[in-house]
Amino acid sequence: MSDLLERLRGRGWRMTAQRRVVAEVLDGDHVHLTADEVHIRAVAKLPEISRATVYNTLGELVSLGEVLEVATDKRAKRYDPNAHRPHHHLVCARCGTIRDVHPGGNPLADLPDSERFGFTVSDVEVTYRGVCPTCAAA
Amino acid sequence: MSDLLERLRGRGWRMTAQRRVVAEVLDGDHVHLTADEVHIRAVAKLPEISRATVYNTLGELVSLGEVLEVATDKRAKRYDPNAHRPHHHLVCARCGTIRDVHPGGNPLADLPDSERFGFTVSDVEVTYRGVCPTCAAA
DNA sequence: GCCCGTAATTGGACTAAGTCCATTGTAGGA
DNA sequence: TCCTACAATGGACTTAGTCCAATTACGGGC
Ligand SMILES: [Mn+2]
Ligand SMILES: [Mn+2]
Ligand SMILES: [Zn+2]
Ligand SMILES: [Zn+2]
């Protein structure tokens, strides 16, 4: 994710220890953390980082298009660093684990004109739900 | 929606003015109100109804399977009385209007085994986003 | 129609998630 | 190194929702 930091510096982002730490926490695949989870992990690396800064930084990353907000559960928003490869989500109904998935086909094409109510439809979000192997075994 | 009230009485639901009013507020097509919106409309019909009762009643209707919770925006949950005909949602990105839609095809079938990570996938939720005709005209 | 036990309602306190803001600190260009 | 515009901070505030002990009332039995 240091290419992310590169890109952001190029966009005039002032580099701070706090922002670096938030970016580090968001590194990886299938990462979908809540703001508080990001904060907890960030504090482990930089104890004095504040909750407000985590919220600020996440908000900026979202408006820069570098991180996505996902609302797979009905509680806290989750932050998804996989913003450059379009994908959907598969959620375990028991433990909440979230995996990135890439379905075949184009779900947008499945919505006939007669079901568009005159809307200009530009985007679709798909959430699959089920039970993960770990929870199924238990 | 009085068939709903019938069904609930059959299930041993004690009928109260408050519950009747909440059911009335939820009557109609393309209804996706937040709990507070339900409360405001309910108060107009029965001024002394409390917020707690609205939350209680909505929660019961959800666990009875008569109403669905929808999380199309990242703020408050919305309550959807259209629980018996499976459908998805089309949301205006500007004004938040929500329409029920019935896409063709089966989105579940679009998720290949290789993208299931061993999950037992049982359900899929689709949210289309776009701009409604009213907002497009403005 | 009235009584009564049980279930439902109520208001307010409480929690969780998120926003806002005045103050203090600092990255990084001159 | 100095300066200042931008960023970080903590705490107050807001919003959505939950919880609870006390009160009220539905509706079955008489
Ligand atoms: Mn993702
Ligand atoms: Mn609906
Ligand atoms: Zn699981
Ligand atoms: Zn609109």
Side-chain angles (χ1 to χ4, degrees):
Chain A
M1 184 158 260
S2 48
D3 47 336
L4 165 61
L5 295 179
E6 254 349 289
R7 241 178 303 142
L8 293 173
R9 200 171 306 138
R11 294 218 222 176
W13 230 44
R14 186 177 286 188
M15 197 46 51
T16 68
Q18 290 85 343
R19 288 173 167 186
R20 225 184 315 270
V21 162
V22 170
E24 274 172 41
V25 166
L26 290 176
D27 192 18
D29 287 329
H30 305 285
V31 170
H32 306 92
L33 299 168
T34 66
D36 270 323
E37 288 166 349
V38 171
H39 184 225
I40 288 166
R41 286 164 170 71
V43 163
K45 294 166 180 272
L46 184 68
E48 67 275 23
I49 191 173
S50 74
R51 236 170 48 93
T53 295
V54 169
Y55 274 102
N56 288 341
T57 306
L58 291 172
E60 284 156 15
L61 290 170
V62 169
S63 42
L64 289 169
E66 297 290 350
V67 164
L68 300 174
E69 277 181 0
V70 198
T72 47
D73 65 46
K74 281 147 197 140
R75 313 181 62 87
K77 293 177 198 168
R78 296 185 169 272
Y79 292 89
D80 184 345
N82 185 5
H84 295 300
R85 206 164 321 283
H87 66 280
H88 298 292
H89 292 110
L90 171 55
V91 182
C92 176
R94 303 247 179 96
C95 68
T97 297
I98 303 172
R99 320 268 358 201
D100 289 346
V101 295
H102 304 81
N106 176 8
L108 260 194
D110 286 348
L111 192 65
D113 264 350
S114 61
E115 288 286 305
R116 294 191 181 210
F117 298 96
F119 280 56
T120 307
V121 184
S122 52
D123 190 34
V124 60
E125 233 170 88
V126 183
T127 305
Y128 297 93
R129 291 182 195 281
V131 178
C132 79
T134 310
C135 287
Chain B
M1 184 157 261
S2 50
D3 47 336
L4 166 61
L5 295 180
E6 255 347 290
R7 240 177 303 141
L8 293 172
R9 200 172 306 138
R11 296 217 220 176
W13 231 43
R14 187 176 288 191
M15 197 45 51
T16 69
Q18 290 84 344
R19 288 172 166 184
R20 226 184 314 268
V21 162
V22 169
E24 274 172 42
V25 167
L26 289 175
D27 191 20
D29 287 329
H30 306 285
V31 170
H32 305 91
L33 298 168
T34 65
D36 270 323
E37 288 166 350
V38 171
H39 183 226
I40 289 166
R41 285 165 170 70
V43 163
K45 294 166 180 272
L46 184 69
E48 68 275 22
I49 191 174
S50 73
R51 236 170 47 93
T53 295
V54 169
Y55 273 102
N56 288 342
T57 306
L58 290 173
E60 284 156 15
L61 289 170
V62 169
S63 44
L64 291 169
E66 297 289 350
V67 165
L68 300 174
E69 279 182 357
V70 204
T72 48
D73 64 45
K74 282 147 196 137
R75 314 182 62 87
K77 292 178 199 168
R78 295 185 168 272
Y79 292 88
D80 185 345
N82 185 5
H84 295 300
R85 204 163 322 282
H87 66 280
H88 297 293
H89 292 109
L90 171 54
V91 183
C92 176
R94 303 245 179 97
C95 69
T97 298
I98 303 172
R99 320 270 354 205
D100 289 346
V101 294
H102 304 81
N106 175 8
L108 261 193
D110 286 347
L111 191 66
D113 264 351
S114 61
E115 289 285 306
R116 294 191 181 210
F117 298 95
F119 279 55
T120 306
V121 184
S122 53
D123 189 34
V124 60
E125 233 170 88
V126 182
T127 306
Y128 297 92
R129 289 180 196 282
V131 178
C132 78
T134 309
C135 287

